[in-house]
Amino acid sequence: MRSIVLQHMIDNKDHYIEQWRVSFDQLLFSRSESTIKPQYIQDEMKDEFVSVIFDTLTMDRHSRRAVVKRFVERLIHDGWIVSEFIMSLQKLRRIVMKDLSKHYDKDKFVDLSSELEDWLDEQITDLTTEFAKNHEEVKAIQKVALKELSAPLIPVFDKIVVMPLIGTIDTKRASQIMENLLEGIIEHRAQVVLIDITGVPLVDTMVAHHIIRASEAVRLVGAECLLVGIRPEIAQTIVNLGIDLGNFTTKSTLKKGVETALQMTHRDIITNEEPVTGGGLK
Amino acid sequence: MSNHSCIEIANEWGIVSARQAGRELSKDIGFGSVDQARITTAISELARNIYLYTEIGKIDLEEISDNHRNGKARGIKVVASDKGPGIENLRDVMVDGFTTSGGLGAGLPGVKRLMDEFDIESIPGEGTTITTIKWLR
Amino acid sequence: MRIPILKLGRYLLISVQVELDDQTALQFQEDLLNKIHQEGSLGVVIDLTSVDMIDSFIAKVIGDVVEMSSLMGAKVVLTGIQPAVAITLIDMGVSLQEVQTALDLEQGLERLQQELGG
Ligand SMILES: Nc1ncnc2c1ncn2[C@@H]1O[C@H](COP(=O)(O)OP(=O)(O)OP(=O)(O)O)[C@@H](O)[C@H]1O
Ligand SMILES: [Mg+2]
């Protein structure tokens, strides 16, 4: 059975919509990223919110939640803040209460107002839950993006770049890192890349495998890899696990790695002093 | 059915056409450059095996979608089929370095690593069908 | 289709600009070896910047070319292998370990100069 209050609201829908709409004209819906937004966008959003609330009056909770969910997704996508929506619902409460008090006697009014409270609570709960859920999702996505970004390539000297690896490396991240690495080498025309694993908590066979693959790919595009930042416990696990870092040049610290890299490219700098095609063109 | 194509492999040119079709379709589906290269290379391997070891065969390329994998997943399905001699020692051919033709023997195990799903069906004397899928992530 | 081979002093320069079908690859192998013989070249740079796919067959042809050239006394440097191609080769388990590489033609020539002592 539909409650008396809801029926009352449905019967007087136009009247309430008009009143409510006027009441929240003063209210400024805001978006997080920008303080000023055009009036018409405000109006559009307000109209939409009004229809979400009133169109769902006749629905059961389940279908209503679906509508609210879709609405909230849009709000979040466009960066609206939830508090104004809640505030405007309080305004609606006041309007309906006032009206009910005119139509019903005191005892009935108490019953009805608690009905109204229940309905409003449900609205607010649905709205905020959807918001919270969505925010969690957005946050989770942002986390992933952050992780992917956490393999930046830093040019330190001409032809030398450093890639500090931070955090755990799984297969998915490893392939992202590999792509960043190779694209970066080409972009910076690097000849030596130092992979710094100081920030990698654990090197197992899997991680070692990814690092070896990366260094082979680096060689194919025409540069060389140095593995630096090998802490004592990492050296121990590598040996204990029998991981073969074969023809890998490794250094304990980034500083030592940079020195080696400089030596490696220094040779190039000396030969550079002669014109490259000198022998051939004469 | 616009995103479906079938390339006959009867000679070397078939190999080139198959991989070109594969590159185009994977680009259309939205694969990044690395996956495009993976898919094209896998197709090239399968097509070359047909050319080398059988008289004639075909490569079917198809865009697919799967609603079961959390949400909607899109991908490319590559089916290489022939009525050639078949492969008797299925386990051997999946080992890196196994070859009967002096190749690198990287073909089939390589295809398996390049793609997400790999299935091989072969009946000696009747032919071979290899089905592989790469999902868009 | 034939891949043009340019002569630059004691070096040969090749920039692969065409789709590498099997015939073209094998023809190239033959042409290059002939040219090395004819010119007595000491070094070869093969630039693969425009190549968007290397499968196991082409990888084998390239590996063979490098080995054969080296038997004839010419060092080969491969340049410009694209990231996507490199990753695919590694996935395939083909790491072309014996082959020298450089980022681009210019660095490839530098590398030859360096190895052959100017
Ligand atoms: N369609 C097929 N029909 C019959 N035999 C096949 C077929 N595909 C592969 N084979 C057999 O499987 C073996 C392994 O194939 P695979 O592609 O892995 O290596 P390969 O072709 O010998 O060398 P590569 O591909 O590295 O050049 C082949 O040598 C061949 O004997
Ligand atoms: Mg093969």
Side-chain angles (χ1 to χ4, degrees):
Chain A
M1 222 20 284
R2 193 172 288 145
S3 72
I4 298 176
V5 172
L6 289 199
Q7 195 55 53
H8 179 82
M9 284 174 70
I10 293 165
D11 295 342
N12 301 285
K13 190 175 163 184
D14 294 345
H15 165 73
Y16 281 133
I17 289 183
E18 200 191 309
Q19 283 209 12
W20 188 29
R21 196 63 181 74
V22 170
S23 87
F24 69 78
D25 253 352
Q26 314 125 15
L27 211 63
L28 252 153
F29 281 21
S30 56
R31 277 201 249 187
S32 46
E33 77 262 33
S34 58
T35 38
I36 315 150
K37 46 202 163 336
Q39 188 62 40
Y40 76 94
I41 293 184
Q42 287 262 340
D43 285 342
E44 255 175 43
M45 190 36 84
K46 285 174 182 172
D47 288 343
E48 207 180 317
F49 185 50
V50 168
S51 64
V52 163
I53 293 298
F54 277 87
D55 290 354
T56 54
L57 279 178
T58 53
M59 295 179 185
D60 60 39
R61 180 140 190 208
H62 183 74
S63 354
R64 195 171 64 221
R65 277 198 90 137
V67 175
V68 171
K69 187 170 168 2
R70 240 176 292 133
F71 179 66
V72 168
E73 270 165 13
R74 242 209 61 202
L75 289 188
I76 291 189
H77 181 265
D78 294 349
W80 295 87
I81 287 169
V82 74
S83 50
E84 277 87 356
F85 293 88
I86 310 267
M87 258 150 72
S88 66
L89 279 174
Q90 318 285 17
K91 286 197 186 291
L92 180 64
R93 183 225 315 264
R94 240 163 276 151
I95 295 166
V96 180
M97 284 279 204
K98 206 166 152 195
D99 208 46
L100 289 175
S101 71
K102 277 188 217 150
H103 287 83
Y104 297 94
D105 64 35
K106 207 172 174 221
D107 284 353
K108 190 73 185 156
F109 173 71
V110 172
D111 283 351
L112 291 181
S113 59
S114 91
E115 254 181 39
L116 178 68
E117 290 299 340
D118 286 350
W119 174 78
L120 267 171
D121 277 353
E122 232 175 79
Q123 300 298 309
I124 294 173
T125 311
D126 286 358
L127 210 61
T128 43
T129 330
E130 284 305 330
F131 243 96
K133 251 197 342 221
N134 254 295
H135 259 292
E136 285 311 310
E137 279 165 27
V138 169
K139 258 188 4 214
I141 293 169
Q142 279 170 347
K143 236 182 179 167
V144 171
L146 210 76
K147 255 196 172 162
E148 289 183 349
L149 282 177
S150 72
L153 202 71
I154 306 161
V156 283
F157 291 99
D158 187 34
K159 294 180 178 176
I160 302 173
V161 294
V162 176
M163 180 176 258
L165 296 183
I166 294 151
T168 42
I169 296 167
D170 53 21
T171 306
K172 194 166 176 239
R173 220 183 134 220
S175 57
Q176 186 66 44
I177 290 170
M178 172 112 95
E179 282 181 44
N180 283 359
L181 185 62
L182 300 187
E183 300 284 354
I185 285 171
I186 291 185
E187 183 187 333
H188 298 292
R189 295 192 79 230
Q191 280 183 359
V192 183
V193 41
L194 297 133
I195 299 183
D196 183 0
I197 59 168
T198 312
V200 178
L202 181 110
V203 176
D204 55 10
T205 34
M206 188 67 159
V207 172
H209 172 74
H210 288 312
I211 294 176
I212 292 168
R213 274 168 47 92
S215 80
E216 285 180 336
V218 164
R219 207 185 53 83
L220 283 178
V221 300
E224 264 173 283
C225 257
L226 283 181
L227 195 58
V228 304
I230 303 191
R231 290 171 281 130
E233 66 270 27
I234 300 267
Q236 281 170 328
T237 26
I238 288 178
V239 173
N240 288 338
L241 288 171
I243 297 167
D244 181 18
L245 287 180
N247 28 27
F248 233 113
T249 314
T250 58
K251 294 280 169 233
S252 57
T253 62
L254 180 61
K255 185 168 173 286
K256 286 192 180 137
V258 171
E259 283 164 13
T260 311
L262 277 173
Q263 275 170 18
M264 285 164 72
T265 45
H266 198 56
R267 280 208 313 254
D268 292 341
I269 292 165
I270 288 169
T271 40
N272 257 355
E273 287 166 5
E274 270 177 52
V276 170
T277 53
L281 284 178
K282 268 174 220 150
Chain B
M1 285 261 88
S2 62
N3 270 343
H4 178 217
S5 56
C6 175
I7 299 100
E8 184 173 276
I9 313 292
N11 51 43
E12 276 174 58
W13 301 112
I15 303 173
V16 176
S17 326
R19 65 189 187 214
Q20 277 171 353
R23 167 141 333 240
E24 248 159 59
L25 181 56
S26 51
K27 200 186 268 175
D28 280 356
I29 294 174
F31 283 102
S33 66
V34 178
D35 278 341
Q36 284 177 35
R38 288 192 172 110
I39 293 162
T40 315
T41 308
I43 292 171
S44 188
E45 296 296 339
L46 296 173
R48 176 164 292 99
N49 282 355
I50 292 176
Y51 165 70
L52 284 178
Y53 309 119
T54 77
E55 289 290 306
I56 194 169
K58 63 184 170 79
I59 301 267
D60 279 284
L61 302 173
E62 191 187 350
E63 178 181 345
I64 53 167
S65 59
D66 182 355
N67 294 316
H68 304 296
R69 292 171 126 250
N70 42 42
K72 232 188 278 154
R74 294 210 298 153
I76 186 170
K77 178 155 109 181
V78 179
V79 182
S81 50
D82 64 68
K83 298 209 183 325
I87 302 172
E88 249 167 272
N89 38 354
L90 273 183
R91 199 169 298 167
D92 290 351
V93 299
M94 293 312 294
V95 173
D96 277 303
F98 180 90
T99 176
T100 57
S101 64
L104 293 176
L108 291 178
V111 171
K112 188 170 179 183
R113 281 192 292 265
L114 292 172
M115 305 292 279
D116 294 327
E117 289 175 34
F118 180 92
D119 182 58
I120 177 164
E121 253 176 72
S122 187
I123 303 172
E126 285 184 29
T128 306
T129 300
I130 296 172
T131 306
T132 69
I133 292 175
K134 184 102 194 151
W135 295 107
L136 184 65
R137 287 173 212 292
Chain C
M1 195 142 4
R2 274 185 133 99
I3 298 172
I5 300 172
L6 298 179
K7 186 183 160 215
L8 193 66
R10 300 163 300 163
Y11 303 144
L12 298 178
L13 289 188
I14 300 99
S15 170
V16 180
Q17 301 279 356
V18 297
E19 166 96 41
L20 273 177
D21 61 77
D22 301 11
Q23 267 318 310
T24 310
L26 290 171
Q27 182 70 55
F28 165 64
Q29 186 175 82
E30 202 176 314
D31 288 353
L32 180 60
L33 296 178
N34 285 335
K35 193 88 171 175
I36 291 173
H37 179 71
Q38 209 177 301
E39 307 288 346
S41 311
L42 296 177
V44 179
V45 180
I46 304 176
D47 184 56
L48 300 168
T49 307
S50 317
V51 171
D52 61 8
M53 187 228 55
I54 295 179
D55 64 6
S56 66
F57 176 81
I58 297 170
K60 181 166 165 34
V61 174
I62 292 174
D64 288 351
V65 156
V66 172
E67 211 181 316
M68 294 165 185
S69 306
S70 135
L71 281 175
M72 296 180 65
K75 260 195 189 335
V76 180
V77 178
L78 298 184
T79 64
I81 296 180
Q82 292 298 304
V85 175
I87 293 173
T88 308
L89 281 172
I90 298 300
D91 281 351
M92 295 273 298
V94 178
S95 53
L96 292 172
Q97 285 200 338
E98 313 304 319
V99 181
Q100 306 245 32
T101 56
L103 220 56
D104 50 30
L105 264 176
E106 192 188 326
Q107 289 192 7
L109 280 169
E110 271 173 36
R111 176 132 200 192
L112 280 181
Q113 296 255 313
Q114 184 184 304
E115 304 237 331
L116 300 170

PDB file of all heavy atoms in Angstrom, chain A residues 218-242:
ATOM      1  N   VAL A 218      64.829  -3.669 -24.128  1.00  0.00           N
ATOM      2  CA  VAL A 218      65.608  -2.426 -24.181  1.00  0.00           C
ATOM      3  C   VAL A 218      66.777  -2.593 -25.159  1.00  0.00           C
ATOM      4  O   VAL A 218      67.064  -1.716 -25.965  1.00  0.00           O
ATOM      5  CB  VAL A 218      66.131  -2.047 -22.772  1.00  0.00           C
ATOM      6  CG1 VAL A 218      67.244  -1.008 -22.868  1.00  0.00           C
ATOM      7  CG2 VAL A 218      64.991  -1.531 -21.910  1.00  0.00           C
ATOM      8  N   ARG A 219      67.401  -3.749 -25.095  1.00  0.00           N
ATOM      9  CA  ARG A 219      68.527  -3.980 -25.998  1.00  0.00           C
ATOM     10  C   ARG A 219      68.054  -4.000 -27.452  1.00  0.00           C
ATOM     11  O   ARG A 219      68.713  -3.474 -28.342  1.00  0.00           O
ATOM     12  CB  ARG A 219      69.206  -5.300 -25.651  1.00  0.00           C
ATOM     13  CG  ARG A 219      70.680  -5.353 -26.037  1.00  0.00           C
ATOM     14  CD  ARG A 219      71.255  -6.711 -25.769  1.00  0.00           C
ATOM     15  NE  ARG A 219      70.468  -7.758 -26.402  1.00  0.00           N
ATOM     16  CZ  ARG A 219      70.606  -8.103 -27.675  1.00  0.00           C
ATOM     17  NH1 ARG A 219      71.490  -7.521 -28.425  1.00  0.00           N
ATOM     18  NH2 ARG A 219      69.835  -9.050 -28.192  1.00  0.00           N
ATOM     19  N   LEU A 220      66.891  -4.581 -27.679  1.00  0.00           N
ATOM     20  CA  LEU A 220      66.384  -4.638 -29.050  1.00  0.00           C
ATOM     21  C   LEU A 220      66.128  -3.239 -29.622  1.00  0.00           C
ATOM     22  O   LEU A 220      66.403  -2.997 -30.790  1.00  0.00           O
ATOM     23  CB  LEU A 220      65.110  -5.473 -29.127  1.00  0.00           C
ATOM     24  CG  LEU A 220      65.303  -6.987 -29.075  1.00  0.00           C
ATOM     25  CD1 LEU A 220      63.969  -7.702 -29.113  1.00  0.00           C
ATOM     26  CD2 LEU A 220      66.181  -7.453 -30.232  1.00  0.00           C
ATOM     27  N   VAL A 221      65.577  -2.338 -28.806  1.00  0.00           N
ATOM     28  CA  VAL A 221      65.348  -1.002 -29.367  1.00  0.00           C
ATOM     29  C   VAL A 221      66.639  -0.209 -29.474  1.00  0.00           C
ATOM     30  O   VAL A 221      66.658   0.862 -30.067  1.00  0.00           O
ATOM     31  CB  VAL A 221      64.277  -0.174 -28.604  1.00  0.00           C
ATOM     32  CG1 VAL A 221      62.932  -0.861 -28.604  1.00  0.00           C
ATOM     33  CG2 VAL A 221      64.719   0.156 -27.200  1.00  0.00           C
ATOM     34  N   GLY A 222      67.722  -0.735 -28.906  1.00  0.00           N
ATOM     35  CA  GLY A 222      69.022  -0.118 -29.158  1.00  0.00           C
ATOM     36  C   GLY A 222      69.653   0.595 -27.986  1.00  0.00           C
ATOM     37  O   GLY A 222      70.501   1.461 -28.171  1.00  0.00           O
ATOM     38  N   ALA A 223      69.256   0.252 -26.757  1.00  0.00           N
ATOM     39  CA  ALA A 223      69.902   0.854 -25.594  1.00  0.00           C
ATOM     40  C   ALA A 223      70.380  -0.254 -24.657  1.00  0.00           C
ATOM     41  O   ALA A 223      70.290  -1.426 -24.990  1.00  0.00           O
ATOM     42  CB  ALA A 223      68.937   1.779 -24.877  1.00  0.00           C
ATOM     43  N   GLU A 224      70.908   0.148 -23.502  1.00  0.00           N
ATOM     44  CA  GLU A 224      71.375  -0.850 -22.562  1.00  0.00           C
ATOM     45  C   GLU A 224      70.821  -0.591 -21.173  1.00  0.00           C
ATOM     46  O   GLU A 224      70.573   0.542 -20.796  1.00  0.00           O
ATOM     47  CB  GLU A 224      72.898  -0.844 -22.504  1.00  0.00           C
ATOM     48  CG  GLU A 224      73.523  -1.885 -23.397  1.00  0.00           C
ATOM     49  CD  GLU A 224      75.025  -1.746 -23.442  1.00  0.00           C
ATOM     50  OE1 GLU A 224      75.489  -0.830 -24.157  1.00  0.00           O
ATOM     51  OE2 GLU A 224      75.703  -2.510 -22.758  1.00  0.00           O
ATOM     52  N   CYS A 225      70.656  -1.679 -20.422  1.00  0.00           N
ATOM     53  CA  CYS A 225      70.074  -1.589 -19.084  1.00  0.00           C
ATOM     54  C   CYS A 225      71.130  -1.789 -18.007  1.00  0.00           C
ATOM     55  O   CYS A 225      71.991  -2.647 -18.135  1.00  0.00           O
ATOM     56  CB  CYS A 225      69.080  -2.723 -18.904  1.00  0.00           C
ATOM     57  SG  CYS A 225      67.402  -2.215 -19.046  1.00  0.00           S
ATOM     58  N   LEU A 226      71.023  -0.994 -16.952  1.00  0.00           N
ATOM     59  CA  LEU A 226      71.814  -1.250 -15.747  1.00  0.00           C
ATOM     60  C   LEU A 226      70.820  -1.427 -14.617  1.00  0.00           C
ATOM     61  O   LEU A 226      69.896  -0.629 -14.476  1.00  0.00           O
ATOM     62  CB  LEU A 226      72.708  -0.049 -15.420  1.00  0.00           C
ATOM     63  CG  LEU A 226      73.961   0.172 -16.230  1.00  0.00           C
ATOM     64  CD1 LEU A 226      74.694   1.407 -15.709  1.00  0.00           C
ATOM     65  CD2 LEU A 226      74.865  -1.042 -16.118  1.00  0.00           C
ATOM     66  N   LEU A 227      71.012  -2.447 -13.817  1.00  0.00           N
ATOM     67  CA  LEU A 227      70.115  -2.663 -12.692  1.00  0.00           C
ATOM     68  C   LEU A 227      70.781  -2.116 -11.437  1.00  0.00           C
ATOM     69  O   LEU A 227      71.880  -2.554 -11.071  1.00  0.00           O
ATOM     70  CB  LEU A 227      69.850  -4.158 -12.560  1.00  0.00           C
ATOM     71  CG  LEU A 227      68.665  -4.563 -11.686  1.00  0.00           C
ATOM     72  CD1 LEU A 227      67.381  -3.940 -12.200  1.00  0.00           C
ATOM     73  CD2 LEU A 227      68.540  -6.078 -11.648  1.00  0.00           C
ATOM     74  N   VAL A 228      70.156  -1.133 -10.816  1.00  0.00           N
ATOM     75  CA  VAL A 228      70.768  -0.544  -9.625  1.00  0.00           C
ATOM     76  C   VAL A 228      69.820  -0.571  -8.433  1.00  0.00           C
ATOM     77  O   VAL A 228      68.627  -0.817  -8.589  1.00  0.00           O
ATOM     78  CB  VAL A 228      71.221   0.919  -9.873  1.00  0.00           C
ATOM     79  CG1 VAL A 228      72.164   0.996 -11.052  1.00  0.00           C
ATOM     80  CG2 VAL A 228      70.025   1.835 -10.066  1.00  0.00           C
ATOM     81  N   GLY A 229      70.391  -0.319  -7.260  1.00  0.00           N
ATOM     82  CA  GLY A 229      69.581  -0.292  -6.047  1.00  0.00           C
ATOM     83  C   GLY A 229      69.346  -1.685  -5.500  1.00  0.00           C
ATOM     84  O   GLY A 229      68.277  -1.985  -4.981  1.00  0.00           O
ATOM     85  N   ILE A 230      70.353  -2.546  -5.636  1.00  0.00           N
ATOM     86  CA  ILE A 230      70.200  -3.901  -5.123  1.00  0.00           C
ATOM     87  C   ILE A 230      70.611  -3.941  -3.656  1.00  0.00           C
ATOM     88  O   ILE A 230      71.792  -3.858  -3.330  1.00  0.00           O
ATOM     89  CB  ILE A 230      71.022  -4.885  -5.960  1.00  0.00           C
ATOM     90  CG1 ILE A 230      70.556  -4.751  -7.418  1.00  0.00           C
ATOM     91  CG2 ILE A 230      70.831  -6.306  -5.445  1.00  0.00           C
ATOM     92  CD1 ILE A 230      71.057  -5.797  -8.331  1.00  0.00           C
ATOM     93  N   ARG A 231      69.609  -4.033  -2.788  1.00  0.00           N
ATOM     94  CA  ARG A 231      69.878  -4.081  -1.352  1.00  0.00           C
ATOM     95  C   ARG A 231      70.382  -5.469  -0.988  1.00  0.00           C
ATOM     96  O   ARG A 231      70.146  -6.427  -1.729  1.00  0.00           O
ATOM     97  CB  ARG A 231      68.587  -3.769  -0.588  1.00  0.00           C
ATOM     98  CG  ARG A 231      68.153  -2.317  -0.714  1.00  0.00           C
ATOM     99  CD  ARG A 231      66.774  -2.116  -0.131  1.00  0.00           C
ATOM    100  NE  ARG A 231      65.726  -2.554  -1.044  1.00  0.00           N
ATOM    101  CZ  ARG A 231      64.723  -3.364  -0.708  1.00  0.00           C
ATOM    102  NH1 ARG A 231      64.658  -3.853   0.510  1.00  0.00           N
ATOM    103  NH2 ARG A 231      63.800  -3.700  -1.585  1.00  0.00           N
ATOM    104  N   PRO A 232      71.093  -5.573   0.174  1.00  0.00           N
ATOM    105  CA  PRO A 232      71.647  -6.865   0.573  1.00  0.00           C
ATOM    106  C   PRO A 232      70.620  -7.993   0.552  1.00  0.00           C
ATOM    107  O   PRO A 232      70.878  -9.063  -0.006  1.00  0.00           O
ATOM    108  CB  PRO A 232      72.134  -6.615   2.002  1.00  0.00           C
ATOM    109  CG  PRO A 232      72.348  -5.150   2.098  1.00  0.00           C
ATOM    110  CD  PRO A 232      71.420  -4.500   1.138  1.00  0.00           C
ATOM    111  N   GLU A 233      69.419  -7.733   1.112  1.00  0.00           N
ATOM    112  CA  GLU A 233      68.459  -8.843   1.187  1.00  0.00           C
ATOM    113  C   GLU A 233      67.961  -9.247  -0.197  1.00  0.00           C
ATOM    114  O   GLU A 233      67.635 -10.407  -0.445  1.00  0.00           O
ATOM    115  CB  GLU A 233      67.295  -8.516   2.127  1.00  0.00           C
ATOM    116  CG  GLU A 233      66.380  -7.387   1.689  1.00  0.00           C
ATOM    117  CD  GLU A 233      66.840  -6.030   2.219  1.00  0.00           C
ATOM    118  OE1 GLU A 233      68.053  -5.856   2.463  1.00  0.00           O
ATOM    119  OE2 GLU A 233      65.980  -5.133   2.386  1.00  0.00           O
ATOM    120  N   ILE A 234      67.952  -8.273  -1.133  1.00  0.00           N
ATOM    121  CA  ILE A 234      67.543  -8.605  -2.499  1.00  0.00           C
ATOM    122  C   ILE A 234      68.613  -9.482  -3.154  1.00  0.00           C
ATOM    123  O   ILE A 234      68.311 -10.473  -3.812  1.00  0.00           O
ATOM    124  CB  ILE A 234      67.328  -7.320  -3.332  1.00  0.00           C
ATOM    125  CG1 ILE A 234      66.243  -6.441  -2.701  1.00  0.00           C
ATOM    126  CG2 ILE A 234      67.004  -7.651  -4.768  1.00  0.00           C
ATOM    127  CD1 ILE A 234      64.858  -6.640  -3.196  1.00  0.00           C
ATOM    128  N   ALA A 235      69.883  -9.114  -2.927  1.00  0.00           N
ATOM    129  CA  ALA A 235      70.976  -9.913  -3.468  1.00  0.00           C
ATOM    130  C   ALA A 235      70.875 -11.342  -2.946  1.00  0.00           C
ATOM    131  O   ALA A 235      71.044 -12.310  -3.697  1.00  0.00           O
ATOM    132  CB  ALA A 235      72.317  -9.300  -3.088  1.00  0.00           C
ATOM    133  N   GLN A 236      70.544 -11.450  -1.640  1.00  0.00           N
ATOM    134  CA  GLN A 236      70.410 -12.782  -1.060  1.00  0.00           C
ATOM    135  C   GLN A 236      69.300 -13.592  -1.732  1.00  0.00           C
ATOM    136  O   GLN A 236      69.526 -14.732  -2.143  1.00  0.00           O
ATOM    137  CB  GLN A 236      70.121 -12.680   0.446  1.00  0.00           C
ATOM    138  CG  GLN A 236      71.385 -12.398   1.257  1.00  0.00           C
ATOM    139  CD  GLN A 236      71.059 -12.067   2.703  1.00  0.00           C
ATOM    140  OE1 GLN A 236      70.013 -11.481   3.001  1.00  0.00           O
ATOM    141  NE2 GLN A 236      71.957 -12.452   3.594  1.00  0.00           N
ATOM    142  N   THR A 237      68.125 -12.986  -1.856  1.00  0.00           N
ATOM    143  CA  THR A 237      67.033 -13.754  -2.483  1.00  0.00           C
ATOM    144  C   THR A 237      67.381 -14.138  -3.904  1.00  0.00           C
ATOM    145  O   THR A 237      67.093 -15.251  -4.336  1.00  0.00           O
ATOM    146  CB  THR A 237      65.687 -12.985  -2.530  1.00  0.00           C
ATOM    147  OG1 THR A 237      65.937 -11.587  -2.523  1.00  0.00           O
ATOM    148  CG2 THR A 237      64.779 -13.374  -1.399  1.00  0.00           C
ATOM    149  N   ILE A 238      67.989 -13.206  -4.640  1.00  0.00           N
ATOM    150  CA  ILE A 238      68.315 -13.512  -6.037  1.00  0.00           C
ATOM    151  C   ILE A 238      69.192 -14.762  -6.116  1.00  0.00           C
ATOM    152  O   ILE A 238      68.932 -15.682  -6.887  1.00  0.00           O
ATOM    153  CB  ILE A 238      69.002 -12.303  -6.718  1.00  0.00           C
ATOM    154  CG1 ILE A 238      67.966 -11.188  -6.941  1.00  0.00           C
ATOM    155  CG2 ILE A 238      69.603 -12.706  -8.061  1.00  0.00           C
ATOM    156  CD1 ILE A 238      68.514  -9.929  -7.553  1.00  0.00           C
ATOM    157  N   VAL A 239      70.219 -14.799  -5.250  1.00  0.00           N
ATOM    158  CA  VAL A 239      71.120 -15.951  -5.281  1.00  0.00           C
ATOM    159  C   VAL A 239      70.426 -17.199  -4.747  1.00  0.00           C
ATOM    160  O   VAL A 239      70.497 -18.275  -5.346  1.00  0.00           O
ATOM    161  CB  VAL A 239      72.411 -15.659  -4.483  1.00  0.00           C
ATOM    162  CG1 VAL A 239      73.254 -16.923  -4.368  1.00  0.00           C
ATOM    163  CG2 VAL A 239      73.195 -14.558  -5.178  1.00  0.00           C
ATOM    164  N   ASN A 240      69.700 -17.041  -3.635  1.00  0.00           N
ATOM    165  CA  ASN A 240      69.026 -18.201  -3.060  1.00  0.00           C
ATOM    166  C   ASN A 240      67.999 -18.816  -4.002  1.00  0.00           C
ATOM    167  O   ASN A 240      67.820 -20.027  -4.031  1.00  0.00           O
ATOM    168  CB  ASN A 240      68.342 -17.828  -1.742  1.00  0.00           C
ATOM    169  CG  ASN A 240      69.371 -17.608  -0.637  1.00  0.00           C
ATOM    170  OD1 ASN A 240      70.493 -18.103  -0.719  1.00  0.00           O
ATOM    171  ND2 ASN A 240      68.996 -16.852   0.381  1.00  0.00           N
ATOM    172  N   LEU A 241      67.327 -17.994  -4.761  1.00  0.00           N
ATOM    173  CA  LEU A 241      66.337 -18.513  -5.698  1.00  0.00           C
ATOM    174  C   LEU A 241      66.984 -19.043  -6.974  1.00  0.00           C
ATOM    175  O   LEU A 241      66.331 -19.615  -7.820  1.00  0.00           O
ATOM    176  CB  LEU A 241      65.322 -17.417  -6.068  1.00  0.00           C
ATOM    177  CG  LEU A 241      64.320 -17.025  -4.982  1.00  0.00           C
ATOM    178  CD1 LEU A 241      63.531 -15.804  -5.407  1.00  0.00           C
ATOM    179  CD2 LEU A 241      63.375 -18.184  -4.690  1.00  0.00           C
ATOM    180  N   GLY A 242      68.299 -18.824  -7.083  1.00  0.00           N
ATOM    181  CA  GLY A 242      68.986 -19.307  -8.273  1.00  0.00           C
ATOM    182  C   GLY A 242      68.615 -18.533  -9.526  1.00  0.00           C
ATOM    183  O   GLY A 242      68.650 -19.057 -10.627  1.00  0.00           O
TER     184      GLY A 242
END
